[in-house]
Amino acid sequence: MIPSSAAGEPDPVRGGAFYDAPQVLERYLRHRHSGTRSPNHVMEEPALFDELGPVSGLRVLDLGCGDAAIGRTLLASGCRGYLGIDGSAEMVRAATATLQGTPGRVERMDIEAFSAPPHTFDLIVSRLALHYVEDLDPVLAACRRALAPGGRLLVTVVHPVITSHETPRGAKEARTDWVVDDYFDTGARRRDWMGDTVTWYHRTVEDYVTALTRARFAVTALRECAPRHDRLDGDPAEFARRRRVPLFLLLAGSIMEA
């Protein structure tokens, strides 16, 4: 494991609390919702919606919901209920504003603290949140307990080739190369991101798949979220750049019979 901080330096903020740092939330949401300039828009989101399928009548939990932008979409698509949880007070405020005028709800809670009675949800979504969690096993076990028979889990994380190696400091232009290093050395990675320092937990693709199966989910999809040409406004250079390296990993699972 690579140490999360150098000797004598304060530990970086972990989990949802990272987004409570001054200016971080604003920077992140501006980046996340920047249209064709956002890798979320051109890579992660279309893969997620491809796997999501019909949501009409489903009770949905969004684990690490951020600003709950997907909550409005799911509610407009007929889901029976939407609950978002997030550990960041600032994100909860943003999510509350997003869900205003809908029956959706949001609660402040760390992902690691999540627990719900059996059969509470039909679908659990977690977008780009589980790489903030040090120990996945209890979180995935809690998800399985909370899902009804036939329930599904749909997860995206930052791709392990990205979490394996820290982005160089001071990089301001669009990146044209990436470094994969210490790939099998799993654990905490200290990163400079969104103008602050955060800890992500690096795992291999195999680790994520194994964690799901250990929690008795049947893996139904594994995608690396290739860019979608139709989301890039006909920009062939940016399409080619985005095809050079995977930025996101998507995994879907359903409950395995006992």
Side-chain angles (χ1 to χ4, degrees):
M1 178 185 295
I2 295 178
S4 62
S5 61
E9 295 183 16
D11 285 337
V13 178
R14 303 184 181 198
F18 169 73
Y19 294 95
D20 292 333
Q23 306 303 315
V24 166
L25 180 73
E26 180 183 349
R27 288 191 192 101
Y28 175 76
L29 292 180
R30 188 168 59 242
H31 169 74
R32 182 76 176 258
H33 300 301
S34 59
T36 58
R37 292 184 297 126
S38 167
N40 304 85
H41 175 75
V42 302
M43 300 174 79
E44 184 257 358
E45 185 176 270
L48 180 91
F49 284 134
D50 284 349
E51 294 297 331
L52 196 57
V55 298
S56 180
L58 300 186
R59 299 163 297 170
V60 180
L61 170 70
D62 190 353
L63 199 59
C65 66
D67 67 344
I70 196 173
R72 286 197 73 96
T73 300
L74 296 174
L75 288 162
S77 298
C79 77
R80 177 176 157 193
Y82 172 88
L83 171 64
I85 70 167
D86 203 283
S88 162
E90 292 299 318
M91 280 295 193
V92 167
R93 277 192 277 272
T96 300
T98 299
L99 296 172
Q100 188 172 6
T102 78
R105 298 185 298 116
V106 61
E107 296 179 8
R108 185 181 180 189
M109 180 190 302
D110 288 335
I111 290 173
E112 296 89 337
F114 165 69
S115 180
H119 306 173
T120 301
F121 301 102
D122 306 297
L123 172 67
I124 297 178
V125 176
S126 182
R127 299 181 67 185
L128 303 173
L130 294 188
H131 51 274
Y132 291 96
V133 173
E134 183 173 9
D135 187 358
L136 283 185
D137 285 350
V139 173
L140 294 177
C143 288
R144 192 189 187 287
R145 284 193 300 271
L147 282 168
R152 295 184 298 137
L153 175 68
L154 183 55
V155 169
T156 61
V157 292
V158 173
H159 198 288
V161 302
I162 302 299
T163 59
S164 71
H165 188 77
E166 184 174 0
T167 304
R169 289 176 180 266
K172 294 184 179 179
E173 305 204 355
R175 296 184 63 184
T176 57
D177 58 65
W178 291 260
V179 174
V180 179
D181 197 10
D182 295 313
Y183 183 78
F184 293 104
D185 224 353
T186 59
R189 298 290 199 272
R190 177 178 174 136
R191 303 187 67 90
D192 296 302
W193 195 59
M194 293 291 151
D196 211 325
T197 304
V198 69
T199 292
W200 289 350
Y201 290 93
H202 169 65
R203 300 175 181 90
T204 67
V205 173
E206 181 179 347
D207 290 333
Y208 280 111
V209 172
T210 300
L212 279 175
T213 57
R214 192 163 50 234
R216 294 191 295 135
F217 283 97
V219 177
T220 57
L222 188 158
R223 299 182 63 161
E224 294 179 290
C225 306
R228 286 277 288 270
H229 196 274
D230 60 339
R231 289 204 170 204
L232 280 159
D233 292 344
D235 185 342
E238 182 65 2
F239 180 65
R241 187 177 82 90
R242 288 298 183 197
R243 283 184 60 83
R244 294 189 63 185
V245 67
L247 301 184
F248 306 104
L249 176 69
L250 178 150
L251 288 161
S254 61
I255 293 179
M256 296 172 60
E257 296 297 330

